[in-house]
DNA sequence: GCCGTTTTCGGCCCGACTGTTTTCAGTCG
């Protein structure tokens, strides 16, 4: 996949054009980069199928940029980019990653001090050469050194599951102040993106200065990056930035909309406003100086001719068009999910007993759970042999009878071998209520082989669900490469369900895959893959992921009642 | 360089904060 490489080049070209004060090109290249980066189709494939013409079908890609992509595919480089880089041969990627450093400053640093890399910059700053440059000063120099120090540390994005509790704590902390009317975590947290780059808090208050005080004095704050009258920015001890913005009550809806984003969604909205001779900003929707909407998100969207849409949808991936045509999905709700369909007990590698898991799940309000311990060859995870499995089934049946208010399905997570066969006989599998099959090893196979391997498992009438279908682990491994279209086709034909694994660093399937599955009419199941009763709450992350993939109640089998689900599992294949 | 249910030319999203300046450029989101 060359998309990321090309996106990176376009980002850098955008910065070079900023250096040279070229108008409008930077935005064009940046936008193209952003859109290419988030595309799921490989640019090379698109080009192979339809040439430069097909490339120009892509949003943000016109003649000029299509030519550049074509050039990169054919020659492995882009002349225009090489020329820009020759004029200013600096490590743009890492220099501009330093907080507070942008293209203009990088240009001056290169021209006056020959700074090419972050190391050069650090040396120059330590020698106090930086503060002597025009429009630079001692504070800038100090900030540069701090920025470099920070960029050396463990930075980057954080898992939603890890940040959500912290964001909610900050939210509540501000909300509890008597001069704060409301406090909401907006941004990517409200959109529930799988990873989070910073925490954006919106607060409604008529005492902004007091909110600033409280926010900057939170115990997690390690450094105050900016502290203004209505906006502050801090660095938290975990290495994540948090911003707060205070607005008046009458702007709440517009502000919430604005700070929820995403950026592209907002740009489209603001253009729509312009077309209606209106202006949209965080204070409201304005005709001249008159605010025509702003108190609620609904009214902002309504005046723009749109229906309100769930934050999870706001990625400018078709939701605006859907909203205009009243074709928005009715996303599966948090209360629609009635059970958890993957978890482990101490019969394999889980920390708690079946009974403890059941009781904890009941407390969460689940009507049923599936205990799905590991089998056979997965010894490292305490995989059970066939004799043990029979005892395990008996134990589940016994506990199921004893428990009141929750039903327990006899489940297994079987291993898909390299050749696509399973590590447990069909005879034993037939005794289970629910069978998950998944790949745990030998990821490095060709696309065709891995696809065939999984399809082979789906052909088995005993297999109900493919668990964590792509095996990715966020920020650690990308998973195997698989022909997802073929997987969907096979799942549809064989009546196999695909899992949305809700484990915080898996979230597998991802939103793009889910959307495709929904379109293909393939059913989904949500499982937390809990290895401890404390992880059962991750079900929320699975629902979140389903929602980001435009899944509705009917698409997810966890929304069925117990009886209906049992019937479904019996007859699906 | 992109884009068009008014347009193939003439627009292009908007505002806060900082540090350096005496009115604003640069950066960020």
């Amino acid at each position: 996949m060359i998309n990321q490489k090309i996106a990176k080049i376009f980002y850098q070209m955008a910065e070079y054009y900023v250096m040279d004060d070229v108008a409008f090109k930077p935005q064009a290249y940046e936008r193209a980069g952003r859109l290419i980066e988030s595309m799921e189709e490989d640019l090379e494939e698109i080009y192979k199928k339809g040439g430069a013409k097909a490339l120009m079908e892509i949003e943000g890609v016109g003649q000029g940029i299509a030519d550049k992509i074509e050039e990169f595919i054919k020659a492995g480089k882009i002349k225009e980019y090489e020329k820009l880089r020759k004029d200013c041969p600096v490590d743009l990627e890492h220099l501009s990653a330093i907080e507070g450093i942008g293209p203009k400053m990088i240009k001056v640093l290169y021209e006056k001090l020959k700074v090419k890399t972050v190391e050069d910059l650090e040396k120059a700053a330590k020698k106090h050469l930086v503060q002597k440059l025009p429009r630079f000063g001692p504070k800038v120099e100090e900030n540069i050194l701090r920025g470099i120090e920070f960029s050396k540390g463990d930075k980057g994005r954080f898992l939603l599951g890890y940040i959500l509790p912290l964001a909610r704590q900050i939210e509540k902390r501000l909300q509890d102040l008597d001069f704060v009317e409301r406090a909401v975590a907006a941004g990517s947290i409200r959109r529930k993106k799988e990873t989070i780059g910073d925490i954006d808090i919106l607060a409604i208050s008529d005492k902004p200065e007091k909110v600033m005080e409280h926010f900057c004095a939170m115990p997690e704050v390690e450094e105050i990056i900016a502290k203004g009258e209505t906006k502050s920015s801090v660095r938290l001890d975990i290495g994540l930035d948090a911003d707060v913005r205070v607005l008046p009550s009458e702007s709440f809806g517009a502000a919430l909309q604005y700070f929820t984003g995403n950026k592209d969604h907002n740009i489209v909205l603001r253009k729509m406003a312009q077309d209606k001779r209106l202006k949209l900003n965080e204070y409201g929707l304005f005709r001249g100086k008159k605010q025509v909407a702003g108190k609620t998100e609904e009214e902002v969207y309504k005046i723009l001719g749109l229906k309100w849409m769930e934050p999870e949808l706001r990625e400018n991936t078709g939701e605006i068009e859907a909203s205009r045509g009243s074709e928005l999905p009715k996303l599966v709700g948090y209360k629609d999910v009635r059970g958890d369909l993957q978890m482990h007990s101490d019969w394999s590698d889980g920390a708690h007993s079946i009974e403890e898991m059941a009781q904890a799940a009941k407390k969460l309000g689940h009507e049923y759970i599936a205990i799905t311990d590991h089998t056979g060859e997965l010894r490292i995870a305490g995989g059970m042999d066939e004799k043990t499995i029979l005892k395990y089934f008996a134990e589940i049946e016994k506990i199921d009878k004893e428990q009141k208010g929750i039903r327990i399905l006899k489940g297994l997570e079987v291993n898909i071998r390299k050749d696509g066969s399973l590590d447990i006989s069909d005879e034993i599998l037939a005794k289970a209520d629910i069978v998950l099959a998944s790949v745990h090893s030998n990821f490095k196979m060709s696309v065709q082989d891995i696809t065939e391997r999984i399809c082979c498992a789906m052909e088995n009438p005993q297999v109900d669900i493919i668990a964590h279908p792509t095996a990715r682990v966020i920020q650690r491994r990308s998973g195997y490469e698989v022909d997802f279209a073929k997987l969907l086709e096979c799942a549809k034909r064989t009546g196999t369900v695909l899992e949305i694994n809700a484990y915080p660093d898996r979230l597998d399937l991802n939103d793009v895959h889910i959307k495709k599955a929904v379109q293909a009419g393939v059913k989904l199941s949500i499982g937390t893959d809990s290895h401890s009763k404390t992880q059962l709450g991750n079900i929320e992350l699975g629902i979140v992921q389903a929602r980001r993939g435009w899944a509705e109640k009917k698409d997810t089998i966890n929304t069925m009642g117990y009886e209906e689900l049992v019937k479904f599992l019996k007859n699906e294949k």
Side-chain angles (χ1 to χ4, degrees), chain A residues 12 68 153 174 184 215 272 351 409 476 504 518 543:
Chain A
Q12 296 195 16
K68 304 284 189 299
L174 294 177
V184 188
F215 182 77
M272 288 176 70
L409 294 160
R476 216 171 70 218
V518 168
I543 302 171

Side-chain angles (χ1 to χ4, degrees), chain A residues 82-151:
Chain A
E82 299 299 332
K83 185 173 160 287
L84 290 165
R85 209 166 60 152
K86 203 174 147 218
D87 291 340
C88 184
V90 296
D91 180 4
L92 250 192
E93 190 188 343
H94 295 102
L95 282 170
S96 54
I98 299 169
E99 173 114 33
I101 302 286
K104 299 275 179 154
M105 290 167 91
I106 292 173
K107 188 183 188 190
V108 175
L109 288 164
Y110 172 67
E111 287 178 346
K112 304 282 182 193
L113 299 177
K114 293 278 161 248
V115 165
K116 285 187 186 175
T117 65
V118 176
E119 292 77 59
D120 295 345
L121 179 57
E122 187 171 15
K123 274 184 209 155
K126 281 188 174 156
K127 281 192 219 154
H128 301 300
L129 297 173
V130 172
Q131 56 171 289
K132 296 199 180 74
L133 299 172
R135 283 209 146 266
F136 285 67
K139 288 218 167 153
V140 170
E141 191 175 78
E142 204 180 300
N143 284 341
I144 285 174
L145 284 171
R146 257 214 303 272
I148 292 173
E149 211 44 54
F150 178 70
S151 71

Side-chain angles (χ1 to χ4, degrees), chain A residues 96 194 235 242 257 303 473:
Chain A
S96 54
E194 55 194 34
R235 180 149 296 150
Q257 193 289 314
I303 293 188
V473 178

Side-chain angles (χ1 to χ4, degrees), chain A residues 353-380:
Chain A
S353 68
I354 296 169
E355 199 170 359
E356 286 171 310
M357 294 304 277
Q359 282 169 359
K362 196 172 122 186
K363 263 194 201 151
L364 279 180
H366 286 322
E367 290 172 30
Y368 53 83
I369 54 171
I371 301 279
T372 55
D373 274 307
H374 293 288
T375 60
E377 286 152 6
L378 212 63
R379 293 272 174 244
I380 193 161

Side-chain angles (χ1 to χ4, degrees), chain A residues 261-279:
Chain A
N262 76 358
K263 196 182 173 109
D264 290 320
H265 178 97
N266 282 358
I267 288 174
V268 173
L269 254 51
R270 264 170 267 153
K271 282 184 179 158
M272 288 176 70
Q274 276 191 329
D275 289 346
K276 292 182 188 290
R277 297 179 170 274
L278 299 167
K279 186 176 76 170

Side-chain angles (χ1 to χ4, degrees), chain A residues 364-518:
Chain A
L364 279 180
H366 286 322
E367 290 172 30
Y368 53 83
I369 54 171
I371 301 279
T372 55
D373 274 307
H374 293 288
T375 60
E377 286 152 6
L378 212 63
R379 293 272 174 244
I380 193 161
M384 301 176 285
D385 60 21
E386 301 200 339
K387 218 170 123 192
T388 314
I389 290 173
L390 293 175
K391 284 191 210 157
Y392 155 85
F393 282 163
E395 173 76 3
I396 293 179
E397 278 179 10
K398 179 174 149 266
I399 295 169
D400 180 44
K401 280 205 188 94
E402 291 166 3
Q403 292 292 322
K404 296 258 182 304
I406 188 155
R407 298 302 307 265
I408 312 171
L409 294 160
K410 297 193 294 285
L412 290 172
E413 184 186 4
V414 302
N415 194 30
I416 303 174
R417 291 185 183 129
K418 206 172 171 186
D419 64 357
S421 65
L422 305 177
D423 65 349
I424 292 294
S425 71
D426 290 353
E427 226 185 315
I428 299 284
L429 295 183
K431 296 185 196 297
D433 299 318
I434 182 167
V435 174
L436 280 59
S438 52
V439 170
H440 289 101
S441 55
N442 295 109
F443 293 169
K444 288 199 167 47
M445 295 169 74
S446 73
V447 178
Q448 275 153 324
D449 288 350
I450 200 95
T451 308
E452 264 175 45
R453 180 179 174 191
I454 298 168
C455 285
C456 179
M458 288 201 266
E459 300 286 352
N460 186 321
Q462 301 302 334
V463 172
D464 300 300
I465 297 172
I466 299 294
H468 43 77
T470 75
R472 67 112 173 228
V473 178
I474 300 173
Q475 292 169 337
R476 216 171 70 218
R477 64 169 194 236
S478 56
Y480 37 71
E481 272 192 68
V482 65
D483 185 337
F484 196 69
K486 274 217 179 103
L487 228 55
L488 284 178
E489 184 215 312
C490 186
K492 177 78 183 163
R493 183 169 47 77
T494 58
T496 310
V497 176
L498 298 183
E499 184 188 60
I500 299 171
N501 190 294
Y503 209 79
D505 64 0
R506 280 195 186 263
L507 300 180
D508 175 12
L509 303 175
N510 70 21
D511 50 358
V512 173
H513 288 136
I514 294 167
K515 205 166 169 183
K516 286 185 177 167
V518 168

